[in-house]
Structures are given as C-alpha cells and as structure tokens.
Amino acid sequence: MDGRTRAFDVRTDETLLETLRDRCGTTSVRYCCGIGVCGTCTVLLDGDAVSSCLLLTVMAEGRQVTTPQGLAATSCSAISSAQQAFVDAGAFQCSYCIPGMALAAQAAIDRDPEASVDHLVDELAGNLCRCGSYPQVREALERLVSGPTDDTATTPEEVHQ
C-alpha cells in the first residue's frame, strides 16, 4: 500500500479502513460515518476514489491502494498537485475531510486533465466538510484546473517538462 507491498492475514470481514489504520498506521485515512457517505475514508483503488470503510481488505488484494500519504509518493514533489492546490487556497480548517477531497480531486484530474471546475465539484460530491470550507475547496479546484501560478510551489507537471 502506498507503493509498498505488505502481506497481512486479515479477517474476511475486515474493511480496508481498519487494515490501513490499525495495521499500517495510516492515519490520513479517517473514520467518520462508516457507511460511505462522508468521504473521510477515501482512498484510491487502482486510481479510482473509493470509500475504504465499505471495501473489504480481501477485495483489494493485488490492487494498487493509494492513501493521502501515498499520493505524494506518486509525484515528483513533496506533495501532489491537488494537495498543493488545497494548501495554496487555504482549503482546510480542521483538515479532517481534506485528505479525501484531495485524493478524489487528484484522481479526477488524472483521469481527465482537461476537467472543468464544475466537473471536479461533481467528483467531490461524496466528500462532506463539517467546517464549511467549501469556498476554499472550490478555489483549490480552480487552482488545480488552471495550473500552477507564480505564487504556488513547483508541481509534478512542471518537473516533468
């Protein structure tokens, strides 16, 4: 997971969220609703955003799991372009929901680099923010769509050019 391979004997009813938090110590994947509607437990499974509280670990066997902590490891910089956009926009308050939002946004922009802000907003529809940071989240998505500016850090796209 997160680019490393780990083998565990897991219960057949153990969720990926439990495995990531309890066995791997991956605290950026968070528990909240337990029914897949809030987005705090979001991980990428083969590049698609999924709720890890609903997915059994055995169903992820042999598949690529990326957590918020592992998202940066897949880029050429300290953090991914989506994570950087969220930082630059100040799109966080308590930061409980933001790791899942950044993952979902990164997955969407990776699937469609020409995605519009409205499309990204739709992609984040399953991620809820209790603090009401939605204006800053929208600004982060606008930054992600428009690309880096002079006031942002170097993104992975710039490194590869």
Side-chain angles (χ1 to χ4, degrees):
M1 307 200 183
D2 294 340
R4 298 180 301 270
T5 301
R6 295 182 179 176
F8 296 109
D9 289 324
V10 297
R11 298 181 331 268
T12 56
D13 66 341
E14 185 172 313
T15 66
L16 185 57
L17 174 63
E18 292 171 304
T19 302
L20 291 170
R21 288 191 61 81
D22 300 343
R23 295 179 186 261
C24 301
T26 307
T27 57
S28 63
V29 182
R30 302 192 170 120
Y31 177 83
C32 189
C33 73
I35 57 173
V37 297
C38 71
T40 60
C41 69
T42 299
V43 298
L44 300 183
L45 186 64
D46 294 334
D48 294 322
V50 298
S51 296
S52 64
C53 71
L54 297 179
L55 185 72
L56 297 176
T57 302
V58 295
M59 296 173 73
E61 183 177 0
R63 300 177 74 184
Q64 177 66 39
V65 176
T66 306
T67 66
Q69 290 160 303
L71 187 57
T74 63
S75 69
C76 295
S77 66
I79 60 178
S80 75
S81 55
Q83 290 167 322
Q84 187 66 55
F86 276 76
V87 169
D88 293 342
F92 51 85
Q93 191 165 347
C94 79
S95 294
Y96 202 77
C97 63
I98 297 304
M101 286 195 188
L103 264 176
Q106 189 69 57
I109 205 77
D110 287 348
R111 270 192 316 279
D112 181 5
E114 302 300 317
S116 68
V117 172
D118 288 337
H119 177 75
L120 294 181
V121 167
D122 288 344
E123 290 287 322
L124 293 182
N127 296 79
L128 305 178
C129 176
R130 284 122 190 106
C131 298
S133 295
Y134 294 114
Q136 295 88 350
V137 168
R138 184 168 182 94
E139 180 182 339
L141 299 178
E142 289 168 356
R143 287 172 178 260
L144 183 59
V145 166
S146 67
T149 61
D150 292 338
D151 66 336
T152 63
T154 302
T155 64
E157 292 79 19
E158 290 177 310
V159 172
H160 291 298
Q161 291 181 354

